[in-house]
Amino acid sequence: MTALRVGAPLGPRTVESVSAGAMRDVAALLEDPNPIHLDGEAARALGLGDRPVNQGPVNFGYVLDLLLAIAPGARVRALRVRLLANVLAGDRVIAGGRIESIDEEADGHLRLGCAVWLDVEGRDRAVDGQAVVAVPTVPT
Amino acid sequence: MPDTTPHVDGAALEIRAGAELPGGTYRLGADRHDRLVAALGGGAPADGSAHPLAAWLIAMGGSGVSLADLFAAAGVPMETGPMLGACELELARPLGIETPYAVRGGILDVEAKTGRRLGRFDVLRIRLEVREPDGAAAAACIVSMILPRGGAGT
């Protein structure tokens, strides 16, 4: 559970090795036949790397997982992200963030404004953005 | 009425600001939800609601058009590498795994750009609204798609 104060870091949440098998399953879920998610050769042909490219929504899904872990009962109310770089099969990625504001709401929640990101170890920042998370003041 | 509307043929889809998408109904269901959570390698919310990434799946799944047809209508073959550039999710309430949500939306704008790495490309922005069966707002999603157009970069 994260310390709820402005400036507190979130996570990190680490995915040790992004799974090509998960990409195939998500491609089916999203009805997304883009071959770059299924075939390293397709990714190579576009100059994107030599391994399948993870789906963008999954990349910010790792960030959503990070936000759910802030506290029991945490609810993501908003997420705004830019996708800056590709994540490839086998990459080690680290989702992180920082609490930038805390406001009390009338409904008994704290409203946290957070900076969030996803970094590919040894390479680029893949996701950058902001989130709003509601956390109950009395743990659920 | 089925609880998940099949996608229509995107051939008649207009890619211009203000054009509406067909929309429809989408029920996530436990199997798809479990697969989504498994793909992320994390966990589902403890209260039994859907993972917040389900907002994306429901919005796109209920838009009435597949990604492939959307890109084809924009004249961008999958092989040229269309990709997601940005996303804004708003979740008004926890999403239900078995709830048949109504989805509607359309194209906000299409902006031509030029970049060093991609050369010429368009940014296609789509807004989708996800509503409860009683019409209450549940979630909204603004998606920015990068559509390569070929040509030299700057």
Side-chain angles (χ1 to χ4, degrees):
Chain A
M1 183 167 158
T2 302
L4 300 183
R5 57 175 171 75
V6 172
L10 305 179
R13 191 218 166 206
T14 302
V15 177
E16 293 296 340
S17 178
V18 172
S19 163
M23 290 183 206
R24 286 191 290 274
D25 206 23
V26 170
L29 277 174
L30 298 178
E31 297 184 55
D32 178 359
N34 194 330
I36 65 172
H37 306 310
L38 308 171
D39 178 7
E41 284 300 320
R44 192 195 319 268
L46 290 170
L48 302 176
D50 57 357
R51 291 164 279 159
V53 178
N54 206 22
Q55 288 89 352
V58 175
N59 293 341
F60 63 76
Y62 302 143
V63 171
L64 290 167
D65 272 351
L66 169 86
L67 297 170
L68 290 176
I70 289 176
R75 280 179 43 199
V76 178
R77 290 195 172 161
L79 179 73
R80 174 181 293 191
V81 289
R82 293 183 305 146
L83 287 86
L84 306 173
N86 290 318
V87 172
L88 307 179
D91 279 344
R92 183 174 192 263
V93 295
I94 304 106
R98 180 177 57 251
I99 297 175
E100 300 211 310
S101 65
I102 302 178
D103 296 292
E104 286 192 37
E105 296 190 325
D107 65 358
H109 286 79
L110 296 176
R111 183 181 191 275
L112 311 182
C114 305
V116 294
W117 54 80
L118 181 77
D119 289 336
V120 183
E121 187 175 69
R123 220 166 60 232
D124 304 307
R125 175 151 294 182
V127 175
D128 188 57
Q130 299 84 39
V132 176
V133 181
V135 175
T137 51
V138 178
T140 56
Chain B
M1 181 177 174
D3 57 13
T4 296
T5 309
H7 287 154
V8 301
D9 183 351
L13 194 64
E14 289 185 85
I15 304 297
R16 58 167 176 78
E20 292 188 3
L21 297 180
T25 305
Y26 191 90
R27 183 180 64 84
L28 183 60
D31 176 65
R32 282 190 284 223
H33 183 253
D34 289 349
R35 289 161 59 199
L36 180 69
V37 170
L40 294 174
D47 64 1
S49 63
H51 190 284
L53 188 57
W56 166 277
L57 201 56
I58 294 166
M60 297 306 294
S63 67
V65 63
S66 70
L67 282 172
D69 279 354
L70 182 67
F71 294 143
V76 178
M78 275 290 187
E79 295 72 27
T80 63
M83 65 187 93
L84 181 64
C87 182
E88 299 176 33
L89 293 178
E90 294 176 16
L91 293 112
R93 57 182 65 191
L95 297 173
I97 294 170
E98 300 294 347
T99 305
Y101 287 103
V103 180
R104 67 180 184 186
I107 295 172
L108 290 176
D109 46 46
V110 186
E111 185 178 2
K113 294 194 171 189
T114 304
R116 185 167 299 160
R117 188 167 63 88
L118 290 176
R120 292 193 306 117
F121 61 97
D122 289 344
V123 179
L124 170 66
R125 289 199 315 144
I126 293 169
R127 177 178 167 82
L128 294 163
E129 296 178 357
V130 176
R131 293 189 174 272
E132 301 278 353
D134 67 2
C141 181
I142 296 178
V143 181
S144 298
M145 303 283 191
I146 309 294
L147 308 180
R149 293 299 189 189
T154 57

